[in-house]
Amino acid sequence: MIHSYSTEDKILLAVDCIIFGFDDEELKILLIKRDFEPEKGKWSLMGGFLKKDENLDHAANRILHHLTGLNNVYLEQLYNFSKVDRDPVERTLSVSYFALINITEHDTELTENYSAKWFSLSESPSLIFDHGKMVKHAISRLRYRASNGPIGFELLPEKFTMRQLQKLYEAILNEDLDKRNFINKINSFDILVKLEEKDMSSSRKGSFLYKFDQEKYKKKTDDGFSFKL
């Protein structure tokens, strides 16, 4: 007997994006106020629905661009959330993604043109539905990724100081790191390029700037190198 799809339940599939940024001191999350019911006026992750002619990755990129104007940012699929009553309007499953954005380069366009707001993780407001659970899962995944690969560089400007790098990893891991041990560990990876330029804002003497060498890192991983903090 031929099975008919028409007898099966139709279920909506949402895509929700947890967007992280770093401002040299704190790890932050980008939120928007929901402009329709239910929960109108409350803080929400950025999300939308999967269209019939796209896959999940395409949907996540489309939604992120529509709500932030950004393209080519780091996006990683996280988990799916399928509690039956998670959305009071319609039976809706959600697949969550987390994104990493450099705040310095995009802050103005995000907050002025797209009505979004950055919150430090320690001061972020309550979120609609199960979005708070999504954020907790994303933080856990980010900490794991940052401890086992150079994913953190996605949150920094192209040129950065060693202090910025350490502050970033302290923010992600939520712990203080010994300066000497951290610098020695990072230098042992040999994946940074030390520049002749200096950041003169931190002291009269200034601090040397560095760049992440993506090609060197890829070659080293191909040779069996393992990034592990």
Side-chain angles (χ1 to χ4, degrees):
M1 183 175 66
I2 298 176
H3 187 78
S4 173
Y5 289 172
S6 63
T7 62
E8 299 298 332
D9 293 340
K10 303 300 188 291
I11 299 174
L12 293 174
L13 182 58
V15 177
D16 290 296
C17 299
I18 302 102
I19 304 173
F20 292 116
F22 180 65
D23 67 354
D24 288 348
E25 294 293 333
E26 294 182 294
L27 190 63
K28 294 189 172 184
I29 186 170
L30 189 67
L31 304 174
I32 56 174
K33 275 195 174 180
R34 190 172 168 94
D35 60 1
F36 57 92
E37 297 292 354
E39 308 285 6
K40 183 177 180 179
K42 294 188 177 181
W43 291 102
S44 167
L45 296 174
M46 296 187 176
F49 292 97
L50 178 74
K51 296 183 181 299
K52 62 182 180 181
D53 61 348
E54 63 185 2
N55 62 36
L56 285 167
D57 287 351
H58 290 157
N61 278 285
R62 171 182 56 79
I63 290 165
L64 192 65
H65 176 73
H66 174 69
L67 294 174
T68 67
L70 300 178
N71 287 307
N72 302 317
V73 301
Y74 181 92
L75 265 175
E76 180 177 327
Q77 190 178 131
L78 197 57
Y79 291 100
N80 65 75
F81 294 80
S82 59
K83 190 175 178 181
V84 173
D85 60 351
R86 61 171 301 277
D87 188 320
V89 176
E90 196 82 43
R91 177 75 168 101
T92 305
L93 276 65
S94 176
V95 176
S96 62
Y97 280 74
F98 79 88
L100 304 179
I101 291 174
N102 176 255
I103 291 181
T104 305
E105 294 179 2
H106 304 293
D107 188 32
T108 301
E109 62 181 303
L110 288 172
T111 55
E112 291 184 1
N113 298 338
Y114 294 92
S115 302
K117 184 176 179 181
W118 289 104
F119 290 90
S120 64
L121 290 181
S122 60
E123 299 177 356
S124 60
S126 296
L127 302 177
I128 66 168
F129 306 158
D130 49 5
H131 289 192
K133 290 183 180 180
M134 295 182 186
V135 173
K136 289 181 180 179
H137 279 293
I139 293 170
S140 178
R141 176 72 65 82
L142 175 59
R143 286 174 178 165
Y144 175 78
R145 287 280 188 257
S147 297
N148 294 276
I151 188 176
F153 293 105
E154 299 285 346
L155 293 162
L156 291 171
E158 182 181 6
K159 301 174 185 178
F160 52 85
T161 65
M162 194 62 76
R163 178 185 181 280
Q164 285 177 299
L165 184 60
Q166 181 175 340
K167 293 291 288 186
L168 169 63
Y169 273 90
E170 288 180 335
I172 292 175
L173 301 175
N174 194 30
E175 62 179 85
D176 293 330
L177 300 172
D178 180 79
K179 180 179 178 180
R180 180 179 295 179
N181 290 340
F182 178 79
I183 291 175
N184 287 340
K185 186 72 171 179
I186 292 296
N187 285 335
S188 71
F189 295 150
D190 189 29
I191 55 174
L192 298 184
V193 177
K194 186 176 182 180
L195 306 175
E196 295 300 322
E197 303 171 57
K198 283 188 174 184
D199 172 17
M200 302 304 297
S201 63
S202 57
S203 67
R204 184 182 303 175
K205 185 178 179 182
S207 302
F208 280 106
L209 292 167
Y210 293 81
K211 290 177 67 175
F212 172 56
D213 192 328
Q214 180 73 47
E215 290 301 318
K216 181 180 284 189
Y217 173 71
K218 184 179 184 306
K219 185 177 185 304
K220 290 172 75 71
T221 53
D222 289 343
D223 293 337
F225 166 76
S226 176
F227 181 105
K228 183 74 175 176
L229 283 180

